[in-house]
Amino acid sequence: MEEFLQQMVTGLATGSVYGLLALAIVLIYRSTSVLNFAQGEMAMFTTFAAWTMLHWGHYWIVFPLVLLMAAAIGGFIELVIIRRVEGAPILNIIIVTLGLFAILNNVATWRWGGIPKGFPAPPEIQVTGVKFFGEGALDIGPTVVSYHDLTILVFAVGIMAALYLFFQYTPLGLAMRATAQNPIASRLMGIRVGRMLAVGWALSAAVGAVAGMLIAHLILLQPPMMMGVLLYAFAAAVLGGLDSPVGAIVGGLIIGITENLVGTYTPQDILGPDMKLTVTLIIIVLVLLVRPTGIFGRRTLRRV
Amino acid sequence: MLQVREVVAAYGPVVALHGVSLEVPEGSVVAVLGANGAGKSSTLRAISGLLRPRSGSIEFEGQRIDRLSAEQIVSLGMSHIPEGRQLFSEMTVLENLRLGAYSRFTGVAGSIREYRRRRQDFEAALKQIFEYFPILAERRNQMAGTLSGGEQQMLAIGRGLMGNPRLLLLDEPSMGLAPIVTREIFEIIETINRTQGVTILLVEQNANLALEIAHYGYVLETGRIALADTSENLRKSEAVQRSYLGY
């Protein structure tokens, strides 16, 4: 029972990271119908940049700077590259994002090398004697939880809440939702659709950057580190519904827990933890067969 | 207020407008009539910037707008209520109306006073819309996609009015509606023109209704203006009666 609970909590934490990356994918997909295969590499790249910046400054100073930088990179990619292929056949767009994937991966390897590096967890902060973030473990009665897992959960919930408030209550958020729903009507409202798409990419890159920094502490920083994570994130996005931000997070949590339980409870001598990835891919295939819109998705996935 | 001169426009290789010219005087209601595919909607799309003309010119209040984008044109005081309404169907009625006012309040409010002023302007516009269409006030938190056809058309008009336009481009407001609902909507269109002084360019297949509220009318045939006259004369004209009024 103790082990089961332990695995559940760890699953929730890694699932939150998958959920965040899935959220980044969904933010772009719902407004531009672009499935961004480079999402993971963008996160990896900004995490490497964060690693370099950490040599100069404290974590809590570097962190917001990295988010700003990620947003700038995301917006830049939309303005300079994606905009050129807007309206092109879906295959062209996919190949462009795959090209981005390769470029970011190679530049990172060239600049930072392929040797895995440790990446710190967000350092602890004491608020009236209560410890937040940092490392170590917290005894919560039936089981023990690592502080970093809790940190990940806090970030995931915080980002979801912030995005919800942004999309629901600010004029910019409203305009971005409008753009995703009906670009032509949005133009007639005076909304600069192109600008909204760039903001969407910026936002998505920033969310992905958080996922990258949080997971890097668990799996070591290296150029291919996000490949597995991206697969889980895609599974999460498909499961939750490619156009649903809530679905992305819920899908991420389900995938994270499933992954952990499968990794723990499948007999090691027969299948071993490698079964984790297989189960994830089976989930993708099953969802696409049975309910292609995912749990929360509303629109059917078709391009008009 | 609006001068369209010799506008040629095309969708790729398909030419939709072969040199359309028309004029909309301030304060008037002008109707554009014609059969399916005559270029009525394309004319409106060219004016509002959704379809860039190949040649010709369009002037709005003395300013050339044929090279401006749709986003820029709306902020000059022109609202286009498109064919098929094009609502944000997965948003609430109120959110649709908020988006209608988007062009009026771009940029961040610089001061609290400015913010309050915007708030007041918005509330006043909203109140006005709810007076025209009380049903929208009742349904304000309902998803636009769940409204009836008539209510959706009312919301489309309300959303267009939220931008506080001086010129309203209306594309087939009667489309798919029951005659009694259509009549109600046309009455409100007339009221908007008369009491608020909003100039209206109306595209309609239902020529009878359109000529009832319009002062002036144009008849489009395959991308060209075939006839132009006061609505009174058009109603009497044999050609119009035969082709569009069903006599």
Side-chain angles (χ1 to χ4, degrees):
Chain A
M1 190 62 201
E2 210 168 291
E3 190 190 22
F4 179 76
L5 272 179
Q6 179 86 53
Q7 291 302 328
M8 285 292 282
V9 176
T10 311
L12 279 177
T14 44
S16 297
V17 173
Y18 304 154
L20 284 177
L21 198 65
L23 181 59
I25 291 168
V26 165
L27 283 177
I28 287 178
Y29 183 81
R30 71 204 291 253
S31 57
T32 47
S33 298
V34 173
L35 207 48
N36 183 13
F37 285 94
Q39 200 78 56
E41 302 312 277
M42 284 163 65
M44 174 274 294
F45 193 88
T46 49
T47 308
F48 264 112
W51 181 80
T52 299
M53 285 158 80
L54 281 172
H55 291 91
W56 312 322
H58 188 265
Y59 193 98
W60 290 119
I61 297 167
V62 168
F63 190 83
L65 290 178
V66 170
L67 295 198
L68 285 178
M69 184 193 64
I73 293 175
F76 178 82
I77 289 177
E78 201 284 329
L79 286 171
V80 175
I81 300 168
I82 301 299
R83 189 153 301 187
R84 316 280 159 214
V85 289
E86 215 180 308
I90 183 101
L91 203 55
N92 297 20
I93 300 174
I94 286 177
I95 289 177
V96 166
T97 70
L98 285 175
L100 267 174
F101 177 105
I103 293 169
L104 289 170
N105 194 297
N106 285 321
V107 170
T109 311
W110 163 68
R111 176 68 188 79
W112 287 288
I115 300 160
K117 298 169 172 56
F119 193 87
E124 71 175 75
I125 297 174
Q126 296 269 0
V127 181
T128 59
V130 184
K131 178 182 156 179
F132 286 93
F133 309 121
E135 292 179 72
L138 180 68
D139 198 334
I140 57 164
T143 186
V144 177
V145 186
S146 96
Y147 263 98
H148 189 62
D149 284 355
L150 289 175
T151 302
I152 293 176
L153 280 171
V154 167
F155 269 103
V157 171
I159 288 174
M160 268 309 276
L163 282 179
Y164 175 79
L165 294 175
F166 170 74
F167 280 118
Q168 219 60 32
Y169 295 107
T170 69
L172 182 61
L174 187 68
M176 287 177 69
R177 277 196 296 146
T179 306
Q181 270 191 34
N182 190 337
I184 294 194
S186 301
R187 291 184 63 201
L188 290 176
M189 302 298 110
I191 296 167
R192 316 250 318 236
V193 170
R195 197 177 281 179
M196 295 304 138
L197 299 185
V199 174
W201 273 76
L203 211 56
S204 157
V207 171
V210 176
M213 284 188 279
L214 293 176
I215 196 79
H217 177 64
L218 296 175
I219 61 174
L220 295 179
L221 177 60
Q222 51 182 320
M225 75 171 191
M226 293 306 272
M227 287 186 190
V229 181
L230 186 70
L231 261 179
Y232 290 120
F234 269 132
V238 169
L239 178 59
L242 266 171
D243 57 354
S244 164
V246 178
I249 294 287
V250 173
L253 295 178
I254 294 174
I255 296 284
I257 291 170
T258 312
E259 181 215 355
N260 262 280
L261 295 184
V262 169
T264 314
Y265 294 109
T266 48
Q268 299 286 323
D269 49 341
I270 308 173
L271 296 160
D274 290 343
M275 197 60 190
K276 298 195 303 192
L277 205 57
T278 315
V279 169
T280 312
L281 292 169
I282 290 173
I283 290 177
I284 297 188
V285 172
L286 280 183
V287 171
L288 288 177
L289 284 177
V290 178
R291 192 179 155 83
T293 54
I295 302 172
F296 293 91
R298 267 193 279 170
R299 271 174 296 174
T300 46
L301 301 179
R302 76 192 150 128
R303 294 169 61 82
V304 182
Chain B
M1 167 173 261
L2 181 77
Q3 271 100 23
V4 177
R5 287 194 197 94
E6 290 296 317
V7 163
V8 176
Y11 300 92
V14 185
V15 179
L17 305 177
H18 301 268
V20 168
S21 301
L22 57 84
E23 194 167 332
V24 183
E26 189 161 1
S28 64
V29 177
V30 173
V32 177
L33 314 173
N36 257 337
K40 304 186 301 290
S41 294
S42 301
T43 306
L44 292 195
R45 291 168 60 86
I47 296 169
S48 70
L50 287 180
L51 176 63
R52 176 150 293 186
R54 275 207 194 146
S55 64
S57 72
I58 302 171
E59 268 180 35
F60 176 58
E61 296 181 327
Q63 188 189 346
R64 279 286 291 263
I65 57 167
D66 44 275
R67 295 285 145 212
L68 299 183
S69 66
E71 301 88 299
Q72 289 169 312
I73 291 173
V74 60
S75 61
L76 297 177
M78 181 195 297
S79 278
H80 179 180
I81 299 167
E83 193 179 8
R85 319 192 237 281
Q86 302 284 348
L87 295 174
F88 301 102
S89 50
E90 284 165 51
M91 291 194 196
T92 65
V93 167
L94 197 59
E95 283 173 328
N96 271 275
L97 293 172
R98 273 169 69 193
L99 284 162
Y102 184 86
S103 64
R104 283 165 78 180
F105 307 118
T106 42
V108 180
S111 62
I112 291 174
R113 179 178 297 172
E114 166 70 5
Y115 177 79
R116 286 219 180 101
R117 194 188 59 76
R118 287 181 176 197
R119 188 97 227 151
Q120 276 171 5
D121 284 359
F122 176 80
E123 296 295 341
L126 200 60
K127 203 171 147 236
Q128 175 77 71
I129 307 291
F130 286 160
E131 261 167 45
Y132 288 139
F133 308 112
I135 189 77
L136 294 183
E138 253 171 68
R139 305 216 186 284
R140 61 167 77 192
N141 292 318
Q142 209 168 306
M143 291 291 156
T146 66
L147 301 179
S148 74
E151 289 161 0
Q152 290 197 9
Q153 186 58 54
M154 293 175 191
L155 179 55
I157 295 175
R159 188 181 63 176
L161 285 175
M162 284 300 286
N164 201 19
R166 292 182 298 285
L167 175 64
L168 202 57
L169 311 179
L170 255 171
D171 199 341
E172 299 254 8
S174 74
M175 192 155 109
L177 302 184
I180 186 162
V181 182
T182 309
R183 187 149 291 278
E184 190 185 336
I185 284 173
F186 269 73
E187 269 164 27
I188 288 167
I189 294 171
E190 208 176 3
T191 312
I192 291 165
N193 170 253
R194 197 156 330 126
T195 61
Q196 275 190 270
V198 177
T199 311
I200 291 170
L201 179 58
L202 171 69
V203 155
E204 213 12 282
Q205 285 215 45
N206 188 336
N208 260 319
L209 259 171
L211 290 178
E212 244 172 66
I213 65 167
H215 307 113
Y216 208 81
Y218 290 85
V219 177
L220 265 178
E221 261 166 30
T222 55
R224 287 184 185 84
I225 299 285
L227 263 176
D229 211 330
T230 61
S231 1
E232 219 169 301
N233 289 342
L234 283 179
R235 258 184 307 201
K236 284 186 225 145
S237 135
E238 249 178 60
V240 173
Q241 287 189 352
R242 209 175 329 106
S243 318
Y244 304 106
L245 296 178
Y247 290 127

